[in-house]
Amino acid sequence: MTATRVLVLNSGSSSVKYQLLDMRDSSRLAVGLVERIGEATSRLVHTPPEGGGGRRERSGPIADHDAALKAVADELAHDGLGLDSPELAAIGHRVVHGGLRFSAPTVVTDEVLAEIERLVPVAPLHNPANITGIRTAQALRPDLPQVAVFDTAFHTTMPEAAARYAIDVDTADAHRIRRYGFHGTSHAYVSRATAALLGKDPSEVNVIVLHLGNGASASAVAGGRCVETSMGLTPLEGLVMGTRSGDIDPAVTFHLERVAGMSTDEIDALLNKKSGLVGLCGDNDMREIHRRMEEGDERARLAFDIYVHRLKKYIGAYYAILGRVDAVAFTAGVGENAVPVREAALADMEGLGLAVDTGLNAVRSGEARLISPEGARVAVAVVPTDEELEIARQTFELVM
Ligand code: ADP
């Protein structure tokens, strides 16, 4: 029997998201989440394969990632999908920061783990949790290939002109300060899916991808290769996000320190957790912002306008970088669902061949689709992202 299953693990500091996929037809055999690991109120939610009964939930303390993964293994075993199954080909791990070294999915060795560890200073929130996830999975199935799929990998093709900050080169190099970009798995998946929607090979099209979730980033993809992206050394740069400011004059930070007397940690928390939409209007959920705007709420309107203004600025900039744009693709929670955001972001851009058909834009669907008017010079697409499938695919390709 050939092994065709891949378990995808996305380990955060206090959560583990997982999916078990069968790569013969990319079907999901199980999907789940363990959250609040290390607290008394931990919770596991597991959705078994079709016909396997309904969603199962387990509450009660789950002390650490080791216990979390064992609980996941128990749930999978309950469905006859245990981790000891010979049908399991590999475990694919989302790893946030791969630095300059990892431009492709990589089978984890001690040396690879050590390098992911060396990148902790540039991804202090994410890489430690990813490492814990990998170590835990290794302990459970030491014989199985563990594959790291990096959020930064797709962006390693960016030219130096896009990847470097204009700061002292020696200081930058000594501290590995450069623009890495994130959400790469999503940008890779969506740019390819957009080409497929146009009936073209990725090498034939230039696409601007707008990944608008709680975190948000844009990328310019030329012939399948990323040439620009909006996140930088960390996911703080670029677009206005749910709780992050995105682009800001760095002098704001000195000002907050010198004039407002804030500490580095306080400024970090302000810009990463208390800014963006939540900082502007108190809500980071675009649904709630739409609702408040309909009631005439001025702060919600201003937050929306600032969000859209930044988005438009990036679309224009990436248009200029690419020279020729075949498609603009919206993805993730906001991009896939927020009709007014898509409409406003592309308003008054007919001169660039960009327009949204109001009727098509209003259609609700989980499928990849076009929302530009018939015959438009640039296609506008809504493409649901699927980072887990992309991680599974890259993992499977590597171990087969
Ligand atoms: P994450 O970055 O956490 O993966 P998602 O891609 O799931 O985020 O996006 C979550 C965000 O999507 C929510 O915070 C909300 O702003 C937005 N969103 C989800 N559904 C809708 C909807 N129907 N209309 C507008 N915005 C939505």
Side-chain angles (χ1 to χ4, degrees):
M1 185 195 325
T2 44
T4 57
R5 291 180 193 156
V6 174
L7 177 68
V8 175
L9 290 181
N10 181 353
S11 308
S13 54
S14 66
S15 70
V16 176
K17 291 185 196 143
Y18 62 94
Q19 290 198 6
L20 183 68
L21 291 98
D22 189 332
M23 298 320 290
R24 281 175 300 191
D25 56 1
S26 303
S27 60
R28 257 111 181 136
L29 299 175
V31 176
L33 155 78
V34 188
E35 55 188 357
R36 298 194 288 274
I37 296 170
E39 294 177 35
T41 57
S42 317
R43 191 167 77 117
L44 186 153
V45 182
H46 177 89
T47 306
E50 219 162 293
R55 208 172 85 130
R56 301 198 292 273
E57 254 192 71
R58 236 209 256 180
S59 307
I62 296 179
D64 51 24
H65 282 72
D66 191 40
L69 210 55
K70 283 194 177 124
V72 171
D74 285 348
E75 291 299 332
L76 290 169
H78 181 94
D79 297 327
L81 301 167
L83 293 190
D84 51 356
S85 162
E87 288 178 67
L88 189 60
I91 301 182
H93 298 266
R94 174 183 184 219
V95 179
V96 167
H97 216 308
L100 275 183
R101 152 103 184 259
F102 298 111
S103 56
T106 305
V107 174
V108 176
T109 59
D110 288 347
E111 197 265 322
V112 166
L113 257 186
E115 183 59 26
I116 298 171
E117 191 122 46
R118 270 197 289 278
L119 289 162
V120 166
V122 285
L125 297 180
H126 295 106
N127 274 28
N130 302 154
I131 293 166
T132 305
I134 294 173
R135 290 225 166 92
T136 313
Q138 275 179 329
L140 225 52
R141 275 297 303 269
D143 57 315
L144 205 64
Q146 311 279 336
V147 175
V149 178
F150 300 92
D151 253 23
T152 46
F154 185 60
H155 305 302
T156 55
T157 51
M158 275 199 291
E160 284 294 282
R164 281 208 177 258
Y165 291 109
I167 63 172
D168 174 69
V169 171
D170 296 333
T171 307
D173 288 350
H175 300 285
R176 295 199 266 194
I177 296 171
R178 59 187 283 124
R179 308 189 56 249
Y180 294 98
F182 299 88
H183 290 148
T185 308
S186 177
H187 287 285
Y189 175 87
V190 171
S191 56
R192 262 201 278 113
T194 304
L197 188 65
L198 301 180
K200 299 251 170 81
D201 189 79
S203 65
E204 299 173 307
V205 292
N206 291 349
V207 186
I208 297 174
V209 178
L210 305 169
H211 176 109
L212 312 176
N214 204 15
S217 64
S219 69
V221 184
R225 289 164 66 86
C226 178
V227 294
E228 243 296 5
T229 195
S230 60
M231 285 177 166
L233 172 73
T234 75
L236 183 55
E237 191 180 337
L239 301 174
V240 176
M241 313 184 204
T243 65
R244 297 186 199 124
S245 63
D247 293 337
I248 201 167
D249 179 345
V252 169
T253 60
F254 325 141
H255 188 84
L256 288 170
E257 197 186 321
R258 292 183 187 132
V259 179
M262 289 174 73
S263 70
T264 305
D265 285 347
E266 284 167 345
I267 298 169
D268 188 329
L270 176 80
L271 297 180
N272 273 299
K273 299 191 178 135
K274 293 185 240 163
S275 295
L277 293 172
V278 88
L280 289 166
C281 74
D283 272 309
N284 65 338
D285 194 312
M286 196 53 86
R287 282 165 290 202
E288 192 54 22
I289 292 172
H290 294 333
R291 197 193 56 73
R292 286 172 55 186
M293 280 162 64
E294 277 165 18
E295 289 174 352
D297 187 316
E298 295 287 330
R299 277 183 68 189
R301 160 57 65 182
L302 182 63
F304 178 86
D305 288 348
I306 295 170
Y307 184 96
V308 166
H309 176 85
R310 184 82 52 84
L311 198 51
K312 215 179 222 305
K313 201 155 117 177
Y314 268 90
I315 295 167
Y318 288 5
Y319 206 120
I321 294 281
L322 289 169
R324 186 200 85 226
V325 178
D326 299 293
V328 173
F330 287 88
T331 194
V334 175
E336 290 166 31
N337 299 296
V339 175
V341 169
R342 296 194 297 252
E343 184 180 306
L346 295 180
D348 305 322
M349 289 170 98
E350 289 84 2
L352 295 174
L354 279 165
V356 166
D357 179 284
T358 311
L360 292 175
N361 190 30
V363 174
R364 299 226 162 261
S365 154
E367 300 290 313
R369 60 201 184 272
L370 292 176
I371 58 166
S372 38
E374 185 80 37
R377 191 144 49 92
V378 180
V380 180
V382 178
V383 180
T385 192
D386 195 337
E387 289 164 281
E388 288 77 16
L389 174 59
E390 182 67 22
I391 291 172
R393 221 190 253 159
Q394 293 191 15
T395 299
F396 194 61
E397 269 170 28
L398 191 64
V399 301
M400 271 306 96

